[in-house]
Amino acid sequence: MPDRLSMEVPDGVTRRNLLASGVAVSSAWLAGCLGDDDDELVDDDDGDDVGVDPDDSELDHIHFTQQVEPDHDYDPVVVNDVYSSRIVNHVFDGLYEYGPATDLQPKLASGDPVVEDDGTTIIVELKDGPQFANGEPVTAEDVAHSFLAPVEEETDNQTTFDMINDATAIDELTVEFDLGDEPYGPFTSTTLAHNIVHRETRLDDTDAYNEDPVGSGPYELVDWTEGDFADIELRDDYWDMDNVDVHVGSARFVSVEDNAARTSRIRAGDTDVITGLPNEDLGLLREEDGVVTDTVPSISYFYAAFNCNDGPTTNPDVRRGVSHSFSLEAFVDDVLGETAERMFHPIPGSVAEEWDFPVSEWQDATPEFDLDRASDLLSDNIEDGWEPEIISPPDDVREQLGERIAGRLREVEGVDIDPSVTRLDWGPFLETYDTGDADDYAIYTLGWSGGPDPDDFMWPLFHESSAGVNQGHYYDNPEFHDKIRQARFSPDFEERRELYIDVITEIVEQQVAIPAYNPVNSWAYLDELTDMQLHPVSSYKPRFAADYAAPRRE
C-alpha cells in the first residue's frame, strides 16, 4: 500500500503469547529446510503449476531476521511501522496490492476501481469467494470499516485515510468511497492498497484483534512474544491458494538490532534471511560462500528535522547554520557507503525521477559544509551557552547522524554551543519527538517509508494537520500548507507537480528539515533459497505467497 509506514517502531507492549490457531508453536523452532524439491504442486484452471498442497508436511520453514523489533501492532487499522507490516501483509489480503514493482493489482477487488463525479466518487466491486480465517466472507462492510476506522479512532496512520468523507456498502460486494467536494489524486494508485479487517470480530474487542488478528490472507499469526519472535503458518483453507505461488509453510520473524550479530547469524547459517545489510559487512557477505546479497532502492526518506515551533531553531538562519556545520556527504560515505544514497530533497529519488522534479536545483540550494558560514550565521543568531537537544530512535545510524551533527557544532568557532544527543527507546521517542517543545528537542532524526506519490511524504511529514501526529517541527507558513493541500486534492498531474516543486523548494531553502539519505532495501539469504524477490516497498519484503513468484528451497 503505502501503509505509509512511517517510523520503524518497536517496543511498548508486555509479553504476550498468542495462539491464534489454537496450535502452540515451539519457541525452539530452528531455521532449516523442512522440505525438498518434491513438493506436490497444485494446478490452476489452466493446468499451470502455481503452488503447493497446503496439507503437504514437507513445506519449507523460513527463519527471517529483521534489524528492528516491530511494534507488534497486527491490526491494519492501527499498524504504522515497517517491521510489523511485514508480518501483517501475510495475515491479511489487501483490497489492492502491489505487484513485483509499485503497480497496484486487484486482490480482494474484482477489477479496477470505477471513478465518477470528477474523481470524488470511487466504486469498487469485490470478488465473490474470499473468506477470513474464521470462515466468514469478505464483504463491503468489512472494506468500508477498514478505511474509515483509522480516522474515527485517530490511529497513528489516520493521515493515510483522512481524505475519505465516507465509505458505504452499496450491497454485499460493492463499496462506494465518497471523497467529499474534492478528489484525491493518489487515491487509486496508493490509498486503495489497504489490508481489510473482519469488522465484526474487530469491533467485538479491538485490543484483542490487534494482538490476535483475523485476516483473509494466506497465513495466520499463531504465536508471538515481544522481544523474541513472531510465527506465522500457512492456512490450509486459504481462499486463493490455487492462484498463488507458495512453498513456505511457516516462518519465524525475529529481530536483531546489532549489525555484527545479524551478519554472524547468516554466515553461520543460523537464520535464512537477514535485512538491513551493514555497509561495513557488505563486502564480506558478498564473498561468503552459500550466501546471496541483494539491494534495491527503497521508497524511503531519512532526515533530521528542526523544531520550527519553539526555541532558536525557529530562526531559519540558525537552521542554515547547523546545516553548514557538517558534511552529510561525508556522513553517508563514512557510515552508509553502498547501503544508501545522499538525498537533497524530502522525497525518495525514484518518486522525484518519476515526477521529473528539478533535483539538481534543490541540490544547488542545499547548504554546503562551510564552518566559516556556520560560524557567521550561528554567532549572529544565538546566545552563547546554547544546549540544543538532539534525539534519535533506537537505531545506530540515526543516532550516529545526531552525533555527527553534535560533534561538528562543537567545532564551530566564535560561538559557545554544547549539544547533547539522546537515543530513546521507541515508546519514549514517540512521546517526545512531536511535542514541538524546545526543552524536548531542537532536532530529531527519523525516517519514513511510503508509496510512489509525493503526497505520501508531503502530507504526513509537513502539513500542519500532521503536527503532533507524524511530525514534530510545526513549520508555520499558511501558504505553504495550503499548497500541500491543493496538491493533495487536485486531479491535474501538472498542477500537482508545480505545487510540489514550490513546496519542496521552500523546505530546502528554509531548511525545515535536512534530507539525509535514501537507504536501499537490502538483504542476504542462504543460496539454497530461490525466487527471493526484494521489493522496493519495504513492508512487501518478503512475499511468501504471491501471484508472481515466492521463495522456495532447492
Side-chain angles (χ1 to χ4, degrees):
M1 69 181 265
D3 272 307
R4 218 117 60 216
L5 297 168
S6 68
M7 303 143 289
E8 290 109 353
V9 187
D11 282 339
V13 290
T14 58
R15 174 186 172 93
R16 306 179 188 98
N17 288 321
L18 305 181
L19 303 177
S21 69
V23 179
V25 182
S26 168
S27 62
W29 238 5
L30 300 176
C33 179
L34 301 185
D36 53 32
D37 291 335
D38 298 325
D39 293 332
E40 181 183 351
L41 295 173
V42 176
D43 292 344
D44 65 9
D45 294 337
D46 298 322
D48 297 326
D49 292 334
V50 296
V52 295
D53 182 344
D55 292 327
D56 190 341
S57 62
E58 308 246 318
L59 289 170
D60 293 333
H61 169 66
I62 299 293
H63 190 279
F64 191 91
T65 300
Q66 306 192 81
Q67 69 267 40
V68 174
E69 171 80 5
D71 196 32
H72 299 295
D73 283 328
Y74 297 116
D75 175 0
V77 171
V78 176
V79 66
N80 200 40
D81 70 288
V82 168
Y83 306 101
S84 297
S85 292
R86 288 174 180 164
I87 301 165
V88 169
N89 284 335
H90 290 90
V91 176
F92 290 85
D93 278 335
L95 187 61
Y96 293 83
E97 296 181 349
Y98 290 116
T102 55
D103 55 310
L104 286 190
Q105 302 175 353
K107 184 61 179 182
L108 295 172
S110 63
D112 293 337
V114 176
V115 181
E116 299 179 348
D117 301 327
D118 297 323
T120 61
T121 301
I122 292 90
I123 300 170
V124 176
E125 298 285 343
L126 303 181
K127 294 174 181 175
D128 185 3
Q131 292 184 336
F132 291 101
N134 61 4
E136 294 293 321
V138 179
T139 69
E141 290 281 1
D142 298 312
V143 175
H145 175 72
S146 299
F147 281 83
L148 292 176
V151 176
E152 292 172 349
E153 299 173 17
E154 299 183 348
T155 65
D156 287 344
N157 61 8
Q158 62 183 290
T159 56
T160 304
F161 308 99
D162 60 7
M163 79 295 297
I164 301 173
N165 182 56
D166 199 8
T168 306
I170 303 303
D171 57 42
E172 192 166 334
L173 296 177
T174 308
V175 63
E176 179 179 285
F177 297 96
D178 171 19
L179 304 188
D181 297 330
E182 297 174 295
Y184 173 60
F187 192 82
T188 58
S189 61
T190 62
T191 309
L192 286 177
H194 182 45
N195 289 320
I196 305 305
V197 302
H198 186 238
R199 176 181 179 275
E200 183 178 357
T201 304
R202 183 177 183 277
L203 290 180
D204 281 345
D205 189 334
T206 54
D207 289 339
Y209 195 85
N210 190 45
E211 301 171 359
D212 189 358
V214 177
S216 63
Y219 292 85
E220 288 184 283
L221 180 65
V222 294
D223 195 10
W224 67 270
T225 299
E226 180 191 1
D228 195 355
F229 66 90
D231 291 337
I232 61 173
E233 282 187 350
L234 184 66
R235 289 173 49 196
D236 60 7
D237 58 350
Y238 177 51
W239 66 272
D240 202 29
M241 189 67 73
D242 288 349
N243 298 308
V244 293
D245 186 18
V246 54
H247 305 280
V248 175
S250 59
R252 167 160 289 193
F253 290 80
V254 301
S255 304
V256 176
E257 295 185 2
D258 182 75
N259 287 338
R262 288 199 310 281
T263 298
S264 295
R265 288 195 180 195
I266 192 69
R267 295 183 69 200
D270 292 335
T271 187
D272 294 310
V273 187
I274 64 169
T275 62
L277 304 187
N279 179 61
E280 61 270 23
D281 292 336
L282 191 55
L284 178 68
L285 289 170
R286 283 174 174 164
E287 298 299 322
E288 182 73 23
D289 289 341
V291 173
V292 179
T293 63
D294 193 12
T295 61
V296 63
S298 69
I299 308 179
S300 301
Y301 157 63
F302 284 67
Y303 58 97
F306 289 103
N307 187 336
C308 300
N309 182 68
D310 186 26
T313 48
T314 58
N315 183 337
D317 279 338
V318 172
R319 302 196 294 266
R320 294 186 187 105
V322 173
S323 297
H324 278 299
S325 71
F326 74 106
S327 171
L328 254 175
E329 287 81 358
F331 174 81
V332 172
D333 288 344
D334 295 345
V335 177
L336 293 162
E338 295 181 59
T339 63
E341 297 177 352
R342 167 76 165 98
M343 296 183 74
F344 298 92
H345 40 81
I347 205 159
S350 59
V351 180
E353 181 178 354
E354 183 69 24
W355 283 66
D356 192 26
F357 284 145
V359 173
S360 60
E361 294 179 18
W362 294 332
Q363 181 171 349
D364 291 341
T366 297
E368 296 180 343
F369 175 53
D370 186 335
L371 282 175
D372 290 337
R373 183 60 177 149
S375 177
D376 290 342
L377 288 168
L378 293 172
S379 61
D380 288 345
N381 291 285
I382 65 168
E383 297 180 359
D384 281 348
W386 183 38
E387 299 179 348
E389 176 76 14
I390 304 172
I391 62 172
S392 85
D395 171 74
D396 289 347
V397 174
R398 282 172 279 189
E399 181 184 20
Q400 287 176 288
L401 176 57
E403 293 285 3
R404 180 67 62 97
I405 297 171
R408 294 297 184 263
L409 280 174
R410 295 187 187 101
E411 298 174 2
V412 177
E413 295 182 355
V415 61
D416 178 19
I417 304 176
D418 186 20
S420 60
V421 179
T422 302
R423 172 175 172 149
L424 299 172
D425 288 337
W426 274 109
F429 181 86
L430 294 178
E431 294 173 356
T432 305
Y433 90 100
D434 59 1
T435 64
D437 189 336
D439 290 336
D440 290 332
Y441 59 89
I443 302 170
Y444 63 88
T445 59
L446 203 48
W448 188 269
S449 297
D453 191 280
D455 182 77
D456 286 352
F457 299 85
M458 295 296 102
W459 186 267
L461 296 184
F462 294 99
H463 192 261
E464 59 190 351
S465 65
S466 296
V469 179
N470 285 316
Q471 58 98 341
H473 41 75
Y474 298 11
Y475 179 65
D476 185 16
N477 180 346
E479 184 179 358
F480 171 87
H481 297 292
D482 188 55
K483 286 180 179 179
I484 295 177
R485 189 179 189 285
Q486 290 178 51
R488 180 176 177 85
F489 293 111
S490 172
D492 183 89
F493 175 84
E494 197 54 44
E495 180 184 21
R496 296 185 73 213
R497 178 178 177 275
E498 291 301 321
L499 287 165
Y500 284 131
I501 288 174
D502 288 349
V503 167
I504 295 173
T505 298
E506 183 165 348
I507 291 169
V508 173
E509 291 180 347
Q510 296 296 315
Q511 287 293 279
V512 179
I514 306 175
Y517 57 93
N518 178 196
V520 299
N521 279 337
S522 62
W523 61 11
Y525 57 90
L526 301 182
D527 65 1
E528 65 193 55
L529 298 178
T530 62
D531 288 329
M532 297 289 291
Q533 296 199 22
L534 192 55
H535 204 280
V537 178
S538 296
S539 62
Y540 267 59
K541 70 172 192 284
R543 296 294 280 172
F544 291 143
D547 59 3
Y548 40 94
R552 68 174 304 172
R553 295 186 188 276
E554 291 186 325

